[in-house]
Amino acid sequence: MNSVSEVTAAEKERPLGPDEALKQIATYNYGQSRKSLIVVTHLVRDSYDDAERRKELRKGFIALLRSDATTDCKRFVCKQLSIIGAAKEAPALANLLTEEKLSHMARFALEQIPGSAADAALRDSLRKAKGKLLIGVINSLGVRRDPGAVGALSELVTGQEEAVSGAAAAALGKIGDAEAAGALAKAGAKASPKLRAIIIDARLRCAERLLADGKKGRAARIYRALSAQAKTDHVRAAARRGLKAARGPNRTRQE
Amino acid sequence: MPERRGVTRRDFLKGAAAAVAGPYLIAPSALAVSGRPAPSDRIVMGCIGVGGMGTGDMRDFLGNADVQIVAACDIDGRRRQVAKKGLEQHYAAQLAKGTYKGCATYNDFRELLAREDIDAVSIATPDHWHCLLGIAAAEAGKDMYIEKPLSLTIAEGRALSDAVKRYGRVFQHGTQQRSEGNFRFACELALNERIGKLHTIKVGSPASGEAGVEPPMPVPKDFDYDMWLGPAPWAPYTEKRCRTPHWYFISDYTIGFVSGWGVHHVDIAQWGNGTQLTTPIEIEGRGVFPKDGLCDTATAWRVECKYANGVKMIYADNKKERQGVRFEGTKGWVWVKRGEIDAQPKSLLTSVIGPNEVHLYESKNHRRNFLDCVKTRKQTIAPVEVAHRSTTICHLTQIALLTQRKLEWDPGRELFVNDPEANRYISRAMRSPWHL
């Protein structure tokens, strides 16, 4: 018969199954051993070609998010869902967007989940999240370039909280469609100097996006306006370079 | 007092309206006594991040007579004070005066970047801050020297490269091997086919280290931990998380020495392969990661990459591949690392690159090259798009190690081909309020 130490050692090396691994991580806190977390990351990686295993893991992750597992466990779970999360997981993650300690990691997952469910989850939380959490949600909508958010962001950009307005302006710049460009042009007129600087950068980004999408005339109008309004040399030069690009190599006169 | 010219270099850089000295600039006549250029002809700099690497960069910049460093920024109050003291002692000695008070300190980089008198910044923070700071600097109209590696993610690098180009800023990446003659010469031998047709590049780099399980600790006084974390996920303070070398090995802030050290040699491989504005199109490999503890980046790895030009690159830790870069061709090879070069045939080592052959950009001093380009508005030896592409290869390596599958990469679209899951590693959501 094996000695107790041999049996213990053998048990320690036995690979954990998904249920067991997920059970172990439920009590994880920073500053503790990460061994069980590493097992779970391997399960995620190794299930790439195994749809059933993936389904099982996602189900286990959502159960953890809805349980009384530790906050640090839930943060870890969100990170795993950033790799394998799907539309079905979006509502559970959306519930975390208004939680101070979990909002960022919920976005960490949602930003990566393809499809409209994640967009909808983020858009819906625009009405619920406040302060920094709201800014985070706005930032994620910008990263996802969600055109469905332009209306709500256009209202926020002219709101009372300057930090929220700035985030909304930056997000509109990243979305970069014609509607976003229009909202930014309107907002710039009434903005404080600090917000105006953010709006100018957002408009430059918007113009770049329009240019990349072949909308040269629209881009040129933005560049022309910024070239005239710019108060600093580097912004004026940026607008002029953009205008030149929008006109194309053979154009010497204004469109 | 030197004669004042009608249009100074700083006027040229910023435009007359912006060339108004801030409250921290000393009187124009004050420093001209040491034979240095007049203050109005100096490049006014601020240093963001003044730990070990940042202090080294700051000292190097200080050694240039046409630089005036007027501000130091760090989230660690002790480091801020050490930097201020060092700068003020330096300038006091130059003035042959007992004291000099002309260096401001900041905890928040936004205050430093808001100063209109500052032309350029040196950025030497942990990696997860590099691109955010660089983008903010570009938006503020500053030129920048940024320590390597460029980025924490591919998306960050792309955003910084776009911002630098948008605002026409001069940028230098801290891949200073480009300014060492041996590296340039090795690349010229490869590019001019002195080793025959190049088919393989082997790159060896030091690997990440490890740390044990570290307990949460109280945040030290005068250390702005929330700002240190910045865009990274929240985690409790523990000393090793924020101190060199361990932060180099924690994936929330870096991808480890795969980029932190390795980008130096990967960058040289790109230079010698003539592919510095693109990347490989295929990558596959395996790595070893810590089994527990605070650190979680690769302690060993080996990947194989394939370029569109058919060249194969093997990138590994320096136990698997010799430290440095080895270019292998059909007729010989050349190997180079800091301070050493070797080749086969040996005659290559004394050969001269002819006037009609490829001559690469020559810089003998990396920081001086940056300063010269700030003045001339020419491109530096390590410009931002080149930096982004070299660092992207490190990210591709990391993603290949994490996914453990062969990946196809489209360098034009900067996306993995037929692998949407791998594309999820290209960016990371930032903690509010930070965004690219």
Side-chain angles (χ1 to χ4, degrees), chain B residues 219-275:
Chain B
V219 178
K221 197 181 160 202
D222 213 8
F223 185 89
D224 187 344
Y225 182 56
D226 189 66
M227 199 68 159
W228 188 92
L229 284 173
W234 183 87
Y237 177 83
T238 191
E239 189 177 15
K240 285 185 179 172
R241 185 183 298 285
C242 305
R243 296 291 177 211
T244 302
H246 294 97
W247 70 259
Y248 275 113
F249 310 140
I250 303 173
S251 65
D252 280 344
Y253 322 118
T254 166
I255 58 168
F257 272 6
V258 163
S259 68
W261 216 112
V263 72
H264 279 299
H265 289 330
V266 168
D267 182 59
I268 296 301
Q270 286 271 90
W271 208 17
N273 191 26
T275 50

Side-chain angles (χ1 to χ4, degrees), chain A residues 34 54 132 201 208 233, chain B residues 14 166-167 292-293 421 432:
Chain A
R34 292 189 305 112
R54 277 283 164 94
K132 266 195 174 181
D201 181 70
E208 282 171 19
D233 290 346
Chain B
K14 308 211 56 140
R166 182 178 305 131
Y167 290 107
D292 201 359
E421 193 169 300
S432 182

Side-chain angles (χ1 to χ4, degrees), chain A residues 167-191:
Chain A
L172 286 168
K174 286 173 193 156
I175 293 168
D177 62 11
E179 197 187 344
L184 287 166
K186 275 186 203 165
K190 295 175 188 169

